[in-house]
Amino acid sequence: MANTEEFWRWFRELCSGTGREAVVTEEICRALEKSSGIRKEIQYYFRTQEFLCEYRVQGYSLIDIMIWQMDHFKAWLDRGNAMIKGDGNRMLLEAAVTMLEMERDPAPYVEKMGRETGTDYPDKFR
């Protein structure tokens, strides 16, 4: 099992590797330190490269958030914005950051996830 120092080094590299400035990386790290549930999920991924999916915010797991974001990624591709194309590390980090934000204020995210799928279907825009 990896030690705490290895985990935080990896996580900081994950943040900086996705273009986060050092000050933003440290803000994310402080938020993650305060969230034992999300930290456990990310540490499990670090150790196993698999998702634990035990912790939920308003019923949503890390995977649920990633799927929702992938739907939006498909919509971004439709609009020509491929900033995260093929970047699994960025998808993981964005989902973790979203989950941290959801812990603080879940209502806006729950509302968006309930109505924004990112995919087209009949009568979507009516």
Side-chain angles (χ1 to χ4, degrees):
M1 184 165 144
N3 70 32
T4 302
E5 187 176 310
E6 286 177 293
F7 169 75
W8 287 110
R9 184 174 38 252
W10 170 82
F11 190 77
R12 283 181 172 87
E13 288 173 7
L14 180 71
C15 290
S16 65
T18 58
R20 297 294 201 288
E21 294 182 16
V23 67
V24 175
T25 292
E26 291 310 310
E27 288 174 10
I28 295 169
C29 287
R30 280 192 299 277
L32 189 59
E33 286 174 344
K34 292 177 185 176
S35 175
S36 61
I38 299 171
R39 188 176 61 251
K40 181 179 178 182
E41 295 286 330
I42 301 299
Q43 286 173 326
Y44 183 84
Y45 181 83
F46 169 68
R47 287 191 316 271
T48 67
Q49 300 298 295
E50 295 181 7
F51 295 96
L52 184 61
C53 293
E54 283 183 358
Y55 183 70
R56 296 175 183 274
V57 176
Q58 296 290 306
Y60 291 97
S61 70
L62 192 61
I63 289 290
D64 294 326
I65 294 167
M66 287 183 78
I67 291 169
W68 175 68
Q69 289 177 332
M70 283 191 291
D71 280 345
H72 283 276
F73 172 66
K74 290 176 200 171
W76 293 332
L77 282 177
D78 289 346
R79 291 188 296 267
N81 181 353
M83 70 176 194
I84 57 176
K85 185 177 184 179
D87 192 342
N89 287 336
R90 187 170 187 137
M91 291 297 294
L92 172 65
L93 182 63
E94 295 300 333
V97 168
T98 297
M99 196 171 210
L100 287 165
E101 291 171 359
M102 283 180 72
E103 276 187 329
R104 247 188 358 259
D105 186 14
Y109 294 96
V110 170
E111 190 268 330
K112 285 179 183 178
M113 288 182 190
R115 71 174 164 78
E116 295 179 3
T117 64
T119 56
D120 292 333
Y121 52 86
D123 300 324
K124 177 179 178 179
F125 298 106
R126 289 185 185 208

